Structures are given as structure tokens and as C-alpha cells.
Amino acid sequence: MKTTEIKNLSIAVVGGGYGGAAAAIALRNIGAENVHVYEQAPALGQVGAGIGLRPITVELFRQWGIFDEIAAVSSPSDYLEIRSADGQQVLAQEVWPQLNDFDQPNHTRIIHRGDFIEALLGVLPEEVVHLDHKLTSIEDLGGQAKLTFENGSTVTADVVIGADGIRSLVRKQLFSDQEPVFAGEHAYRAVISMDDAFGLGAEDNNPRFYMGQNGTIAYNLPLPHRGQLSYDITAPSEDGSWAPEITNDYLISLLEGFDERIVKIARNLDISQVTSRSVFDIDPVANWHTDSVALIGDAAHAMLHHQGQGANSAIQDAGGLADAFLEAGSVKEALALYQATRKPVTDELQRLSRLGWNANAVENAFPEQAAAK
């Protein structure tokens, strides 16, 4: 599309998480001036734990001119290491893929989810982000779409980007009413001070996964810029309730045979500070777009966390969306091109993420890379 056409588009992004914020940044970067983000939360808060932003994602931050903002609240990592539960055996250790594929090395950046969202929203003008806007309905008008929010306000835009997460109302009302799929797992996450980590995560800035024989996995991501460790335990469970209640003793019971430092942390955790969630993804959605509405991130392709690709996929969606607007001749063509480019990639990542990990069959740290060869 011509620069003047992009400039004059009215664009509404539903959801102020990393996918929605990145979409707004990417579209503003190609000249869209009338972009607004509508987030249901009444205020921004620190939520979640640590994630890894891959080199190809970091390259987009450089292209958008926001690398310094991300680097200020993250730490570089050279490799990912997978160990046996007791930590005595290194099952796989690999340099992050694509680290050296760009003009300058792009290390994977380890970052807290809350810091990440705040950094992304922080580069947007204040008047662009609208809090306390919970979507109640979306109406596809063909060349435009109309949004209605719980606070009574309505917005009609030339383009609507549904970035409203795994339980997306945009997806449910326009594309698919299939519910999220329970993975038979729980995830327990906490961010703790390095002083309380008994030396775990102090070796360097690199994430380490500890693989239990019973399907339990301990994910440890150092956050040295915060002086903290992101401590995650994933374990099989038949309880599909959204936020299961747990105790320290229960966590300890999952960690038989694990590195003693992992067990000690579980014993000393303030359980009120642990996020306890059942793990869900969604089945691939056949279609992500109409002539004026498109899904992005978890709303389009929520995937399990095993490959660490959820946030990265959302950011790369944003980049692919902006590229499509530059290449295509109209909004309709751009949204179709965006889906054609990104959906095959995310379909495969959803599939691989569902495979999970097997402690007895860890051949490499990045199975998505091996599958692409």
C-alpha cells in the first residue's frame, strides 16, 4: 500500500499485551498515524515470569528503533542448556539459533513478562493506549469493523487487530468458537531474589531446564538485571481448573530426584506469590482474517510453552503484519498475505509445542530448528 494510504488508515488493536503493543509499534513504524490500543485492564501491573526473546525477534526491535528500551530491562543469553533432574548430566546445550545471522550479533534476551509489556507500551504515545476497555462485541462491517466496550464506548476502524489472547472474544465472535484445549499439565511460576535461590541460576545468564522422569520439568531463567530468578515448575495433572490451589508440600512432592537447590526453593517459597495455572493452547484456527479484521499472537495460535515461542511468535506476527501492509495493494490483500506468510510457521510451532519434552529422548535444545532443516 502507498504510504499515504497507510497513514490515513484508522487501526484499532484489541489487547495491550506484547502482541497488541508490538502490532501498534510495527504499524506506526511504517507510517500508520491513527493506531489505538484498547486494553481491558484498568491499570498496568507486573505479571508473569521470565521469557526468552529470540535473535530474530530482537532484530525486529532494532528495525523498529526500540532495542535500547528492551535491552535496558533484559539480559543477554548465549545458549540454552537442558539437564537431567538432578543436574548432573547435560542432555543438550546449544547456542541460540540465528544469533549471528544479522549485521551484529543478536543475543536472546531474557526478560520478565511485565517489564517486556511495560517497555513496549512505554514507547507508544500516552494517548494511543486506552485502559479499562473490555471488549463486549465486534461487528464486521466489511470494509470496517465496529467495537463495543463494557464501559459503553464504541469504536469503528478500517482495521481491527484482535490481540486479546487465548480466550479471544474477537476469535470467538468472528472466526472460531472452539474453546482452549487443556494440555494435562499445570505450571507453577514465581520470580524470586537470587539471594533466595541457593546458588541456582548464578552460574551465568543462560536458562537451564531440568527434566524429571515423571514428566515434571523445572525451568530456570536468570534475570540478573533484576537480581532475580524466574523459577517455573511444569507437572502433569488431570485438574483442568484455571487456577488450581497448591501448597509447598505439594510442590516438593513433584520434585523427587531433582537438584536439591530446586527442592529447597520450593520448600521456602511464599506460596501466595506463586502463579498457579492449568496449561492450555488452542487447535489451529482455519482462518485468521476478514477484509478488515485479523488475529495476532495467542488469539490466532496460542501454543504450549515448551518451545518458548509464544511471545516470539506474537512479535513476529506484528512484523509480518507490517510487512504485508507495505507489500500488498489494499487492506484486504494485506491481511490475506499476513496469514499466508505467518500461519504455516505458527501451525508447525503449535504442533511441536504439543510434543513437549521427554527426559529420555532429548536430542537437541531446539527441535523447531531441527524440524525446519
Side-chain angles (χ1 to χ4, degrees):
M1 295 176 65
K2 296 178 180 178
T3 303
T4 53
E5 293 175 317
I6 295 173
K7 176 181 177 180
N8 292 327
L9 285 175
S10 59
I11 303 174
V13 181
V14 180
Y18 34 72
I25 293 167
L27 292 168
R28 285 173 56 85
N29 189 63
I30 62 169
E33 295 184 354
N34 187 10
V35 182
H36 290 267
V37 178
Y38 299 91
E39 164 57 37
Q40 68 176 352
L44 299 176
Q46 283 282 335
V47 295
I51 56 176
L53 301 173
R54 300 290 186 89
I56 190 172
T57 302
V58 173
E59 181 63 18
L60 286 174
F61 300 147
R62 293 193 189 278
Q63 293 175 15
W64 299 341
I66 64 169
F67 172 79
D68 289 346
E69 287 81 356
I70 302 299
V73 291
S74 62
S75 295
S77 168
D78 292 313
Y79 61 83
L80 170 65
E81 186 172 274
I82 302 175
R83 294 188 176 189
S84 56
D86 61 9
Q88 298 303 303
Q89 183 180 359
V90 176
L91 304 177
Q93 185 189 91
E94 294 181 42
V95 172
W96 293 98
Q98 300 175 308
L99 187 151
N100 294 307
D101 286 1
F102 306 97
D103 291 341
Q104 54 186 309
N106 281 338
H107 288 84
T108 284
R109 311 289 307 190
I110 308 302
I111 192 169
H112 187 284
R113 288 176 187 267
D115 291 341
F116 184 33
I117 293 172
E118 286 184 3
L120 290 173
L121 291 175
V123 304
L124 293 170
E126 184 176 349
E127 64 272 15
V128 165
V129 181
H130 307 270
L131 301 178
D132 199 20
H133 277 68
K134 182 178 181 179
L135 186 71
T136 57
S137 70
I138 178 170
E139 184 180 359
D140 188 343
L141 305 174
Q144 291 184 313
K146 180 180 179 181
L147 305 172
T148 301
F149 298 97
E150 191 174 66
N151 60 15
S153 63
T154 61
V155 172
T156 299
D158 300 321
V159 182
V160 170
I161 306 301
D164 48 342
I166 188 171
R167 298 182 182 277
S168 169
L169 184 65
V170 177
R171 183 184 71 239
K172 185 173 184 178
Q173 292 196 351
L174 295 185
F175 299 101
S176 171
D177 60 1
Q178 290 187 334
E179 295 295 327
V181 179
F182 177 47
E185 294 179 329
H186 286 176
Y188 313 110
R189 301 185 173 107
V191 176
I192 63 172
S193 170
M194 279 290 190
D195 295 337
D196 298 326
F198 303 97
L200 192 71
E203 301 96 327
D204 49 43
N205 295 351
N206 299 303
R208 288 178 170 83
F209 300 171
Y210 295 76
M211 310 291 295
Q213 294 293 326
N214 61 355
T216 298
I217 304 173
Y219 300 88
N220 293 276
L221 285 74
L223 300 165
H225 54 284
R226 276 174 157 244
Q228 293 179 321
L229 175 73
S230 181
Y231 173 87
D232 301 10
I233 304 295
T234 298
S237 176
E238 296 180 0
D239 174 13
S241 58
W242 181 247
E245 295 186 6
I246 58 168
T247 64
N248 294 81
D249 287 342
Y250 175 72
L251 277 183
I252 293 168
S253 73
L254 300 174
L255 297 172
E256 182 178 353
F258 274 78
D259 186 310
E260 184 58 29
R261 297 171 297 177
I262 296 173
V263 180
K264 286 181 179 178
I265 292 172
R267 184 176 293 119
N268 288 276
L269 278 175
D270 177 354
I271 209 70
S272 70
Q273 299 303 305
V274 177
T275 300
S276 174
R277 292 288 184 270
S278 293
V279 178
F280 290 82
D281 68 356
I282 62 174
D283 291 326
V285 179
N287 182 46
W288 295 357
H289 73 92
T290 66
D291 291 353
S292 58
V293 182
L295 301 174
I296 193 173
D298 282 355
H301 48 66
M303 58 189 70
L304 301 184
H305 60 284
H306 300 297
Q307 305 304 322
Q309 287 283 16
N312 288 281
S313 294
I315 305 306
Q316 290 162 39
D317 284 351
L321 186 65
D323 288 345
F325 272 96
L326 288 174
E327 185 174 341
S330 66
V331 169
K332 177 181 178 180
E333 292 173 4
L335 299 184
L337 177 60
Y338 155 67
Q339 175 176 312
T341 303
R342 291 294 302 152
K343 182 170 164 54
V345 177
T346 59
D347 280 354
E348 178 63 4
L349 288 174
Q350 284 182 293
R351 185 190 71 81
L352 285 168
S353 296
R354 279 187 171 179
L355 296 178
W357 293 97
N358 183 330
N360 297 315
V362 178
E363 297 178 356
N364 49 63
F366 304 106
E368 81 273 12
Q369 293 301 123
K373 294 179 180 177

